[in-house]
Amino acid sequence: MSFDRENLESVLKRRFFYAPAFDLYGGVSGLYDYGPPGCALQANIVDLWRKHFVLEEDMLEVDCTMLTPYEVLKTSGHVDKFADWMCRDPATGEIFRVDHLVEEVLESRLKGDKEARGLAAEPDKSEEKKRKKKVKEIKAVKLDDETVAEIESVLAQIDGYSGPQLGELMKKYNITNPATGGPLSEPLEFNLMFETAIGPSGQLKGYLRPETAQGQFLNFNKLLESNNQKMPFASASIGKSFRNEISPRSGLLRVREFLMAEIEHFVDPLDKSHPRFVEVADTKLRLLNKNTQQEGRTDIDEMTIGEAVKAGVVDNETLGYFLARIYLFLIRIGIKPDRLRFRQHMSNEMAHYAADCWDAELQTSYGWIECVGCADRSAYDLTVHSNRTNEKLVVRQTRETPLVTEDYEVELDKKKFGPKFKKDGKKIETYLTSRSQDELESLAAELDEKLKITVTVEGVDAPVEVEKELISISRKKKLDHIREFTPNVIEPSFGIGRILYSLMEHSFYIRPGSESRAVLSFPPLVAPTKVLLVPISNDEKFGPFLRQISAALRRVGISSKVDDSSATIGRRYARNDELGTPFGITVDFDTLADKSITLRERDSTKQVRGSIEEVVKAVQSMVAVEPVSWEEGTANLTPFTSEAEE
Amino acid sequence: MSFDRENLESVLKRRFFYAPAFDLYGGVSGLYDYGPPGCALQANIVDLWRKHFVLEEDMLEVDCTMLTPYEVLKTSGHVDKFADWMCRDPATGEIFRVDHLVEEVLESRLKGDKEARGLAAEPDKSEEKKRKKKVKEIKAVKLDDETVAEIESVLAQIDGYSGPQLGELMKKYNITNPATGGPLSEPLEFNLMFETAIGPSGQLKGYLRPETAQGQFLNFNKLLESNNQKMPFASASIGKSFRNEISPRSGLLRVREFLMAEIEHFVDPLDKSHPRFVEVADTKLRLLNKNTQQEGRTDIDEMTIGEAVKAGVVDNETLGYFLARIYLFLIRIGIKPDRLRFRQHMSNEMAHYAADCWDAELQTSYGWIECVGCADRSAYDLTVHSNRTNEKLVVRQTRETPLVTEDYEVELDKKKFGPKFKKDGKKIETYLTSRSQDELESLAAELDEKLKITVTVEGVDAPVEVEKELISISRKKKLDHIREFTPNVIEPSFGIGRILYSLMEHSFYIRPGSESRAVLSFPPLVAPTKVLLVPISNDEKFGPFLRQISAALRRVGISSKVDDSSATIGRRYARNDELGTPFGITVDFDTLADKSITLRERDSTKQVRGSIEEVVKAVQSMVAVEPVSWEEGTANLTPFTSEAEE
């Protein structure tokens, strides 16, 4: 059965996974509230993220402020470069995000061309999608084959164009306001940070952070100290960030306020190996490398991360290690492996300082969506903050064998120097002690040969002669015991909301044979509620059993909900299939007799029967951090059939 | 031993519990970053909060946006009233928060008076406190007894004054800039919300939310639907809020960005009983009621919450239930009962709509600090949003017995009415059908008596006569099956950062007999790290044991850290006492022989010895959500003594 976004959206709305924020007031685009199941799903994903990354690798988690003063973001480059290109329609006042507009108009022309050639374009069913589209109508106009190829190539590289390049594309393809045909302004840069003023004077300009990373960089020295000066180490942070999108669209995928989870792994630039790389080396990833993309293609290489690092496709072991760990995390929460790829940034997409960068992209009905970025940012961030503040952000390590250097050094006989040169003494001294190694080499030779040197010093009238008894110039050995270096940073950066939405698409299906029954098949580990408790009727006799079961579940840390409404059992299960609740426990009249209860699995609708203790134990094993399968978990329980599903 | 804030602050800084944000850039006052132990402590407190409140009572947790449009906060009253009073020194440009300035100046005069009378004022040791004080010097000036009493009374009510009242106090007590003696401006209102613009046009004004509550109110209808229309119910939210303080001080206690956890419990205004009140009725609370304060006193009544509600000291059961639950939560995380009180808001502090309001205040070296507010906000919030948006925010309930009403109703014989009155027909009809019950009663009598009625209708020239055959006016019985009402809201609102800081003060002590050894005695449940693993030396032989123990702990969900540095065991334990780590496990040479390990408790420094399995089991029982004591948890293990503490 094909995926039906409208249907999914209606379930998510009806069950209040999320909703447009402030919709009582007409809503604000790009802002969404998470209702109880969305909030619980998010909390469970975050909780697993913390276990999978932070606890597993002893990362140092920090919680830094969102309010950030101007100077910090000026230094990081965000004030100047964290911008999108927009253009205005001077007639209507409308504002467009230029890359999106160009993409959409060119895509619609390709569709129109297909139509004109009698090839069916895919129908676009989603109301939401249609509403947000700027191009409302596809015109069936045939293009020549060359133009089609050209447009396809432009679209393959659409993320890589600069503002002026987008402006040229607008001219070349005569792109105007799709609604009116009116002309648009040149592309203008629009900074995507929300600005505010800190304090009562209004003088201290600040922004809402666009990422959680800066707080981690600024605390580098304290973190290194917390880690007892040991390298490598990682910090991590989970929190909201902000992006003042020009025209938000695509629901949860492009929003103005979002939850991020970011890791900054600090590593020696001379040694990017990773001690645990061997544990993940055989993990197979689907890679879309930059060369393939630059050729305008999107085909995938499937290879182990071990092979990819060895072949130089992925720059280094640490970066490769994190790509594999990201893969394992996403699979663990329920992302479908065949709808996950790692796309390498092309040279024109990547910041100049970055050594390599890969995005984990998830396939959704909106296309392939960047959900996790993983970049080797080199020493850029620590260096710029250090330069700006004159505070060292470095690691000092004792060298195993000291570094030996041999340099020319100048020594002056100060007792004789002063009396001889009088007021010019200081100038001559400064001149001589600030010569380069090359100059010193030739001065040493001159001194050796002529037993004096002759130099011209600014501010001293005549050439100066310095005799051998006043000066020595010779090579001196120096031992350097301490190595000082700025660590490089590998930065895995997760957009939790995008992952959450993609997971909802990947988990959604309609139960075969019953068109109206939608299911969200979240893995038990992340499902908002683990267990639904259903009494067969709302007879008061069932109360004590429900309370006993829910207390037994709570004792082992498992959340449950009771549905004692008057709907049929099948109806109540169907409602909870929509919430993604993996297990259901039915309490019926047999329970009153023999205290046995029924356990039902959401996807297979299989049922088993056993005592409260047995069932709780089975559930516990299946929702654990390392969960067992239904077959394993319920091996000791009795299979059971009922007509409850009807 | 007396509390030494400077010492605590130095531990918190050294161990990076928290630090001023952006201190590389000189810092921004009122903004702090949490380092790894602070972040873990915060996460554990939040986790317990979620278990204690949200899971225990099936609350509906939501995650709403921080960015909030102007209209919402205009309606809620924040645009007009969420402000503090400031005054400016026109000469120096300095800005003061008026209530703090008045408080500080008057306090310093009382101190000066004590000094002049030869009574010792308490010394103020903290450097931080001195630095933030506006009044740098106490002058020994004796005041007359009457003035002292007057000032004491002003200080007891300092939170209750309006801006103009503060202005009068400034005049009365001749309060000027403490540094220069220069005159200050009249108090001016300063809105405490951070303002920003949403979207590229700059037209949509927004704020960072000052509380998480509004998102919960706006989603009321969806939440009620999620709860299957059942009342009462509560929503909850955990997230950052913002307050642009005029001059932040007191470290974590008054910051510009902070974590809140808020509950909105929606309840029937006619029935504020609580089904679980009986469970908490015997909980003893220390109450400071409003009458005591209005008399200028601060003495505490200790009574059970059952007595307090019965006596009308606390307005209703639901409010009382939450006060007791707040108490139990705070005790559970380690707050000291004798440094916790509930202070009722005085009439002039409380919003006009609030039925009752109590703050849980924690005693710190900064005084009694409001850490949790608990207010009965009546129907205010839902009503204002509903009025502004014309959307109903109500509960509809089927009445058990329908409400019977008997009203006069007018029936017209329309067939005859039209032909008779022609173009005036509509006006006369509207007039007759819109009469009040009183008017209808007298018209009915008139009709009964004269068999016609005579009325004057605006827009119709002559008085109108309507005969009995055209009209009937009689009482009709009506059954109303549905009751529609706006719920009241009980709002417990937690400032997590303030609680966290107070907890650090309550937990801090110096180990008796060793002045340099500071301990943070967090309960195991909230301690940042539960277990420290210490090999007796960094011999490689210990590695496998450390890995085995930490894996065994991780399997049962317990975090541990290894300290294999070369410091002595005693030194390593001392470092972790500062981090509040409750348990230490030592691996020594006996471990290599018999696989036994030592377990040490932080506060008593008691030690026991047993197998890895036994020790892990003991730790598990002592860090559980319902923890057992050291004596219970280690009853099966062998007491052990070593000189490691020396």
Side-chain angles (χ1 to χ4, degrees), chain A residues 578-590:
Chain A
E578 290 187 343
L579 287 167
T581 309
F583 302 109
I585 288 177
T586 316
V587 173
D588 56 21
F589 291 103
D590 288 343

Side-chain angles (χ1 to χ4, degrees), chain A residues 206-222:
Chain A
Y207 297 99
L208 294 178
R209 67 178 175 197
E211 54 175 30
T212 70
Q214 298 308 319
Q216 300 181 60
F217 299 137
L218 295 182
N219 283 307
F220 174 76
N221 285 341
K222 294 190 194 88

Side-chain angles (χ1 to χ4, degrees), chain B residues 407-541:
Chain B
D407 282 337
Y408 282 98
E409 269 184 26
V410 174
E411 279 173 292
L412 303 173
D413 186 336
K414 295 219 176 154
K415 272 188 195 145
K416 294 176 184 164
F417 212 76
K420 168 141 195 204
F421 295 110
K422 304 211 170 65
K423 68 172 177 46
D424 292 333
K426 197 73 210 158
K427 280 181 203 149
I428 298 166
E429 186 184 332
T430 305
Y431 176 86
L432 290 172
T433 53
S434 62
R435 292 305 88 196
S436 71
Q437 287 292 314
D438 283 353
E439 288 173 289
L440 286 177
E441 187 176 356
S442 65
L443 285 173
E446 184 181 342
L447 187 62
D448 206 33
E449 191 187 336
K450 304 184 180 168
L451 305 178
K452 66 174 185 190
I453 55 173
T454 310
V455 293
T456 311
V457 178
E458 206 186 304
V460 179
D461 291 342
V464 179
E465 288 194 351
V466 188
E467 277 140 25
K468 200 174 169 92
E469 55 173 31
L470 293 179
I471 189 170
S472 85
I473 304 174
S474 59
R475 295 189 78 170
K476 291 267 164 74
K477 230 182 219 173
K478 268 207 300 193
L479 296 183
D480 189 355
H481 294 271
I482 300 293
R483 176 178 162 229
E484 193 177 275
F485 65 90
T486 303
N488 280 13
V489 171
I490 313 280
E491 180 187 79
S493 168
F494 296 70
I496 301 294
R498 289 181 170 196
I499 294 172
L500 183 140
Y501 176 77
S502 306
L503 175 61
M504 296 195 288
E505 280 208 8
H506 289 199
S507 305
F508 184 72
Y509 69 89
I510 302 297
R511 199 176 284 295
S514 47
E515 242 175 71
S516 61
R517 292 209 172 169
V519 184
L520 281 163
S521 64
F522 301 127
L525 204 49
V526 297
T529 304
K530 311 304 181 203
V531 182
L532 173 74
L533 301 180
V534 229
I536 198 134
S537 80
N538 51 17
D539 194 314
E540 277 179 19
K541 280 181 204 140

Side-chain angles (χ1 to χ4, degrees), chain B residues 99 102-103 106 149-162 165-166 169 290-298 343 346-349:
Chain B
D99 54 345
V102 170
E103 184 177 18
L106 294 183
E150 202 182 80
I151 290 182
E152 278 169 351
S153 159
V154 166
L155 288 172
Q157 300 169 62
I158 192 74
D159 290 340
Y161 292 110
S162 69
Q165 286 172 326
L166 289 168
L169 289 173
K290 60 183 170 193
N291 297 332
T292 306
Q293 295 166 73
Q294 266 145 6
E295 290 161 13
R297 294 179 298 118
T298 58
R343 187 180 75 79
M346 293 179 282
S347 326
N348 57 354
E349 269 179 276

Side-chain angles (χ1 to χ4, degrees), chain A residues 125-138:
Chain A
K125 283 183 67 179
S126 164
E127 266 314 302
E128 196 269 351
K129 193 161 180 181
K130 240 180 275 173
R131 191 159 42 78
K132 293 275 172 115
K133 285 270 186 202
K134 306 290 182 192
V135 181
K136 303 290 181 190
E137 202 187 339
I138 307 289

Side-chain angles (χ1 to χ4, degrees), chain A residues 456-474:
Chain A
T456 312
V457 179
E458 209 187 302
V460 180
D461 292 343
V464 179
E465 287 193 352
V466 188
E467 276 140 26
K468 202 173 166 96
E469 56 173 29
L470 293 180
I471 189 168
S472 85
I473 305 175
S474 58

Side-chain angles (χ1 to χ4, degrees), chain A residues 13-16 19-25 27-37 39-40 42-43 47 50 55-56 58-69 71-72 75-76 86 88 95 190 194-201 204 208-209 215 217-219 221-223 225-226 228 230 240 242 244-247 256-257 259 276 384-386 388-389 391-393 554 559-565 575, chain B residues 13-16 19-25 27-37 39-40 42-43 47 50 55-56 58-69 71-72 75-76 86 88 95 190 194-201 204 208-209 215 217-219 221-223 225-226 228 230 240 242 244-247 256-257 259 276 384-386 388-389 391-393 554 559-565 575:
Chain A
K13 188 181 164 189
R14 191 164 61 242
R15 293 286 160 235
F16 195 12
F22 315 110
D23 58 355
L24 271 191
Y25 282 79
V28 176
S29 54
L31 295 181
Y32 292 88
D33 290 342
Y34 287 16
C39 188
Q42 174 180 267
D47 191 53
R50 197 175 258 137
L55 294 182
E56 181 66 32
D58 255 341
M59 294 176 177
L60 302 175
E61 189 178 340
V62 294
D63 183 15
C64 303
T65 63
M66 299 171 198
L67 287 165
T68 309
E71 274 303 316
V72 171
T75 305
S76 69
M86 67 173 195
R88 237 178 240 281
I95 294 172
F190 174 70
F194 288 96
E195 191 181 318
T196 193
I198 304 174
S201 73
L204 183 57
L208 294 178
R209 67 178 175 197
F217 299 137
L218 295 182
N219 283 307
N221 285 341
K222 294 190 194 88
L223 291 166
E225 173 65 32
S226 290
N228 292 326
K230 278 192 201 164
K240 293 276 164 79
F242 301 83
N244 196 7
E245 293 287 348
I246 293 172
S247 64
R256 288 177 166 150
E257 182 177 328
L259 189 63
R276 297 181 69 176
V384 293
H385 286 301
S386 176
R388 172 69 185 76
T389 60
E391 297 277 353
K392 280 195 170 179
L393 297 171
R554 199 188 299 141
S559 67
S560 63
K561 294 252 183 230
V562 174
D563 184 348
D564 55 3
S565 69
R575 277 207 296 241
Chain B
K13 188 181 166 189
R14 191 164 61 242
R15 295 285 160 234
F16 195 12
F22 315 111
D23 58 355
L24 271 191
Y25 283 79
V28 176
S29 55
L31 295 181
Y32 292 88
D33 291 342
Y34 286 17
C39 188
Q42 175 181 266
D47 191 53
R50 197 175 257 136
L55 294 182
E56 181 67 31
D58 254 342
M59 293 176 177
L60 302 176
E61 189 180 339
V62 296
D63 183 15
C64 303
T65 63
M66 297 170 198
L67 288 165
T68 308
E71 274 303 317
V72 170
T75 306
S76 69
M86 67 175 196
R88 236 177 242 280
I95 294 171
F190 174 69
F194 287 97
E195 190 181 320
T196 192
I198 304 173
S201 72
L204 183 58
L208 294 178
R209 66 179 175 196
F217 299 137
L218 295 182
N219 284 307
N221 285 341
K222 296 190 192 89
L223 290 166
E225 173 63 33
S226 290
N228 292 327
K230 277 190 200 164
K240 294 275 165 78
F242 301 83
N244 196 6
E245 292 288 349
I246 292 172
S247 64
R256 287 175 166 151
E257 183 177 327
L259 188 64
R276 298 181 69 175
V384 292
H385 287 302
S386 176
R388 173 68 186 75
T389 60
E391 298 277 352
K392 280 194 169 180
L393 297 171
R554 199 187 299 140
S559 67
S560 64
K561 296 254 183 229
V562 174
D563 185 348
D564 55 3
S565 70
R575 276 207 297 242

